[in-house]
Amino acid sequence: MSRDSLTDPPPLVFLFGFERSGTTLLSMMVGAHPEIAVPLSLTGLWYRYGKKLDGYNGLESTRDVERIVDDLLREERIRLWDVELMRDEVLENLEPGSFPRVIARFHALYAKRKGKPHWGNIDIDTIEDMDLANAWFPDVRFVHLVRDGRDVALSHKTYPYGASNIGECADQWERSLRVNLKMGAILGPERYLVVRYEDLILEPEATLRQLCEFLHIAYSAAMLDYQQMVEKKVPEDRRWLWPLLDKPPERSNVYRWKNRMTEIERIVFERRAGDMLARLSYETFSTVPKRTRVHLLELWYFLGQGHRFGRFAKTLGLGKTLGLGMSRGVPGARAA
């Protein structure tokens, strides 16, 4: 057995959820536990590299490992971590032949810097690539944070990334959850846990106790003191993505759709994803009302799907004039 397999602990948990479901908040809470280190989200970094290992000769040689480590250390998402990783320490006794070993080394060093024995990963892309994470780490536990899709859709309306409208968000949200819940059912309750964002906000201690029980680790009240980590852990130029992250759980963020979503928007969402809402025990229409205007709105959503209007306006140089929010985006700044 190699030295690094003895010293680099395996992951304790992979945290994830659909974009704008509150996974950054969850990762801050879990990362505030005195025994678990969770760095800033990598937004698909491991999965992107895991799918292009042929370009690194399958990591067959020491030189191949050096090349991938060098490229990873140059990645913006790694450089945004609130610790500095040195090339020599990443490569020390890191044997070729295993990409999961590379992943574990990066996270283990992060955990070591934080003085913690366990590490976790936060990445919204796990919702699409959980099969890869499971293949890399066959014993890891997954925590899937779900949020009422109508609130997710409202968040996307003011967000420069993700779905372009409520209809598109409903389709993406329903599909992603449907596929992932099937994968979770295969893994079983010992390795896959669904946590509702609403429970995390309204009953944070009880929900975090349940999560710790799932992870077989003692609950710590420090998890509710996560706000103290925000300044150091989240770069200042990214905090606008999570304006309430440095505050206690904000109850007004729960079920905002009841006051901020029009009936027509709600009908559009529930026509597409009502069954999934009901499956997750969210309130829905007993019978979705029929409204002529719904078809007009769905046509408008279809025409604007994939940010077509925004891309066209940008081509004409009208993005700022029309207030489409395109100029606010930060490259690589996708958030959960």
Side-chain angles (χ1 to χ4, degrees):
M1 183 177 292
S2 65
R3 177 180 167 184
D4 65 278
S5 65
L6 287 171
T7 58
D8 293 344
L12 183 67
V13 63
F14 270 53
L15 308 164
F16 66 96
F18 191 79
E19 199 164 19
R20 306 306 290 176
S21 291
T23 49
T24 300
L25 172 63
L26 177 63
S27 72
M28 295 296 292
M29 289 177 165
V30 175
H33 193 288
E35 296 185 24
I36 312 173
V38 182
L40 197 65
S41 173
L42 291 170
T43 60
L45 183 69
W46 298 136
Y47 304 117
R48 291 197 300 276
Y49 274 79
K51 294 171 184 176
K52 60 179 184 180
L53 291 178
D54 287 347
Y56 297 93
N57 195 33
L59 303 183
E60 288 189 4
S61 71
T62 299
R63 178 56 188 149
D64 298 323
V65 175
E66 290 175 349
R67 286 196 299 122
I68 198 171
V69 166
D70 287 339
D71 287 347
L72 285 167
L73 287 171
R74 283 191 289 266
E75 285 285 346
E76 180 188 36
R77 281 291 167 170
I78 294 291
R79 290 188 286 108
L80 285 175
W81 282 5
D82 57 322
V83 301
E84 184 179 3
L85 302 181
M86 306 304 294
R87 181 179 189 269
D88 289 346
E89 64 181 351
V90 176
L91 289 171
E92 184 181 5
N93 297 303
L94 187 57
E95 296 181 354
S98 171
F99 183 56
R101 191 176 295 150
V102 173
I103 296 173
R105 173 57 58 86
F106 274 83
H107 281 280
L109 286 173
Y110 180 87
K112 182 179 179 180
R113 289 284 196 280
K114 297 296 181 180
K116 299 182 179 184
H118 303 294
W119 62 267
N121 172 274
I122 168 63
D123 194 332
I124 57 176
D125 282 28
T126 300
I127 201 167
E128 300 289 345
D129 290 309
M130 195 171 81
D131 57 326
L132 278 179
N134 184 58
W136 294 336
F137 302 106
D139 298 319
V140 71
R141 292 178 173 84
F142 295 93
V143 173
H144 181 183
L145 185 67
V146 301
R147 184 183 186 184
D148 189 309
R150 291 158 296 194
D151 279 345
V152 172
L154 285 176
S155 185
H156 275 246
K157 287 179 68 175
T158 58
Y159 183 58
Y161 312 99
S164 58
N165 58 59
I166 285 175
E168 185 176 7
C169 186
D171 291 339
Q172 294 176 358
W173 180 84
E174 191 279 336
R175 178 190 60 81
S176 293
L177 267 65
R178 173 166 39 86
V179 172
N180 196 270
L181 290 171
K182 286 183 178 180
M183 290 192 286
I186 293 172
L187 291 178
E190 287 298 314
R191 294 189 53 216
Y192 179 85
L193 176 69
V194 174
V195 173
R196 296 197 342 159
Y197 170 82
E198 294 76 16
D199 296 334
L200 189 66
I201 296 298
L202 299 177
E203 299 180 5
E205 181 176 336
T207 304
L208 290 173
R209 284 185 180 277
Q210 178 195 16
L211 190 153
C212 288
E213 182 178 353
F214 169 73
L215 297 178
H216 301 295
I217 196 166
Y219 168 75
S220 171
M223 300 175 81
L224 292 176
D225 266 340
Y226 63 90
Q227 306 99 307
Q228 300 180 20
M229 300 170 50
V230 173
E231 184 174 349
K232 182 176 182 180
K233 192 170 181 179
V234 182
E236 186 175 358
D237 64 349
R238 306 300 169 98
R239 290 178 203 158
W240 63 269
L241 291 163
W242 311 284
L244 300 177
L245 195 59
D246 59 351
K247 298 176 176 58
E250 181 55 61
R251 299 174 73 89
S252 64
N253 265 352
V254 173
Y255 303 128
R256 293 186 306 152
W257 63 268
K258 293 186 177 183
N259 298 315
R260 300 189 185 183
M261 182 174 277
T262 67
E263 182 187 48
I264 301 303
E265 290 174 329
R266 178 185 175 186
I267 291 172
V268 168
F269 193 97
E270 292 194 29
R271 276 166 55 96
R272 300 174 181 227
D275 288 346
M276 181 57 69
L277 286 169
R279 178 177 176 181
L280 296 171
S281 301
Y282 290 118
E283 173 189 339
T284 60
F285 287 119
S286 56
T287 301
V288 179
K290 296 181 179 180
R291 301 283 190 273
T292 302
R293 287 180 298 159
V294 170
H295 302 297
L296 296 175
L297 184 58
E298 287 193 320
L299 175 60
W300 179 255
Y301 284 162
F302 172 76
L303 294 174
Q305 190 168 330
H307 296 281
R308 291 190 186 106
F309 297 140
R311 295 202 307 271
F312 180 65
K314 186 176 182 180
T315 300
L316 298 177
L318 300 175
K320 293 182 180 180
T321 302
L322 297 179
L324 295 174
M326 292 178 295
S327 63
R328 195 181 187 191
V330 179
R334 284 175 55 211

